[in-house]
Amino acid sequence: MDTLTVIVMLALFILLLGFIFSAGLMTPVIGKKNIFFVIFIGFIAGVIGGIFLISPVYDELPFIVRNIYMSTSDVNETITADVSAGKDILRFMDELSAQDGVEAVYSEGIFLKTDRFSESRKRIIEDKISLIDPNITSWQVHTNGTIILQVKKGHNPVRTLDTLSEWLMYTGGINTCYSAVHLVVTVRPDKVDSIVSYLQARDVVVTGIKGPAEEKAAAFKAALPDKSNIILFCGFLGMLTGIAGVFIDSIIAFIGKIRGREA
């Protein structure tokens, strides 16, 4: 939802309140007996306005606040993504690094899905994996064929993938069915959304966004009251607007008396 749409919907809700207020002003014509009807109409109209005009804006509020945080923050955000090894990963990393707003790109982990293997083969892999590539800092090996590796920052992940896949095949006849590289992208906050779109357009799975602006936006969203409460508030606001219209003469007279005393 763009800014113009938000302004239009808020303006329409204000116009709705104006209609409710006008209905309250009509009580001298329709009779004081209908005051409860005016209040009821004010509540119902307020609820309807809350559902159709305020709720959509309320749903967009976290995104609006997030954009404000992103545009005003000067601390970089971190995007994490999984890139299939079927891509030319090194070339992709170079192209990503060249995008406006990207401060750094590096690989942090590797995921492999292989044929299933025995418990004894698992122990062999765990014992030899650090010798296969000393840049592997930690690992998780599961007999269902799932292998998750952590590598040194900045290390070439393709080399590790190729070396480990070849070793698994030559020593145990284990095929690597699928592999992916976990990338970490440091981005200026005002360019986060454009980089996420860039990644998604290239079939890259974005696994997370972290940073001060993202955390503030998440905290703001968590602090927001439930939408049903906002709708009820709009109903009560409509009801109060109707009451104000009914008793506007008394309210003006009361304010006049207060000003007269102060004078």
Side-chain angles (χ1 to χ4, degrees), residues 22-249:
S22 299
L25 292 175
M26 294 293 292
T27 49
V29 178
I30 63 177
K32 292 288 185 180
K33 294 181 179 179
N34 293 312
I35 181 173
F36 292 107
F37 176 74
V38 172
I39 294 173
F40 174 74
I41 290 297
F43 179 79
I44 296 301
V47 168
I48 293 173
I51 293 173
F52 293 103
L53 298 175
I54 298 301
S55 288
V57 175
Y58 186 75
D59 290 337
E60 292 292 321
L61 193 57
F63 300 101
I64 295 172
V65 172
R66 177 182 177 275
N67 289 336
I68 293 173
Y69 282 137
M70 289 293 185
S71 61
T72 57
S73 175
D74 57 356
V75 181
N76 291 333
E77 302 286 300
T78 300
I79 300 173
T80 54
D82 289 336
V83 184
S84 171
K87 289 182 177 290
D88 186 339
I89 293 177
L90 295 181
R91 179 181 176 184
F92 177 78
M93 291 174 66
D94 289 339
E95 292 175 349
L96 181 57
S97 299
Q99 297 302 306
D100 183 30
V102 175
E103 301 292 333
V105 180
Y106 59 90
S107 62
E108 189 178 57
I110 298 172
F111 172 85
L112 290 89
K113 186 65 178 178
T114 70
D115 297 335
R116 299 178 68 90
F117 44 80
S118 65
E119 189 68 33
S120 60
R121 174 56 59 177
K122 172 189 172 183
R123 289 193 293 269
I124 293 172
I125 295 172
E126 290 175 332
D127 290 340
K128 301 295 184 181
I129 201 166
S130 60
L131 301 176
I132 297 168
D133 190 333
N135 290 292
I136 299 174
T137 57
S138 64
W139 51 87
Q140 298 176 38
V141 181
H142 304 277
T143 55
N144 64 357
T146 301
I147 301 176
I148 302 172
L149 309 174
Q150 295 293 320
V151 297
K152 293 179 180 178
K153 181 179 178 179
H155 174 63
N156 184 347
V158 177
R159 186 177 302 165
T160 298
L161 275 172
D162 291 343
T163 303
L164 183 58
S165 296
E166 289 177 4
W167 183 84
L168 290 171
M169 173 56 70
Y170 292 151
T171 61
I174 301 172
N175 292 299
T176 299
C177 306
Y178 172 80
S179 57
V181 174
H182 186 67
L183 293 184
V184 178
V185 188
T186 305
V187 185
R188 293 204 311 268
D190 59 324
K191 296 296 182 180
V192 167
D193 290 338
S194 62
I195 297 302
V196 168
S197 298
Y198 176 88
L199 293 171
Q200 292 175 339
R202 285 152 182 79
D203 298 324
V204 174
V205 179
V206 176
T207 57
I209 304 173
K210 296 179 181 178
E214 199 71 32
E215 290 172 1
K216 289 179 181 178
F220 175 82
K221 184 177 181 180
L224 289 175
D226 188 75
K227 187 163 64 174
S228 60
N229 294 333
I230 298 299
I231 294 173
L232 284 176
F233 173 78
C234 291
F236 284 113
L237 184 60
M239 185 175 66
L240 292 174
T241 303
I243 293 173
V246 171
F247 296 103
I248 187 64
D249 293 334

Side-chain angles (χ1 to χ4, degrees), residues 2-35:
D2 56 24
T3 304
L4 180 61
T5 304
V6 171
I7 293 173
V8 169
M9 297 187 80
L10 291 177
L12 289 174
F13 184 74
I14 293 172
L15 286 175
L16 179 63
L17 293 179
F19 168 77
I20 297 170
F21 184 80
S22 299
L25 292 175
M26 294 293 292
T27 49
V29 178
I30 63 177
K32 292 288 185 180
K33 294 181 179 179
N34 293 312
I35 181 173

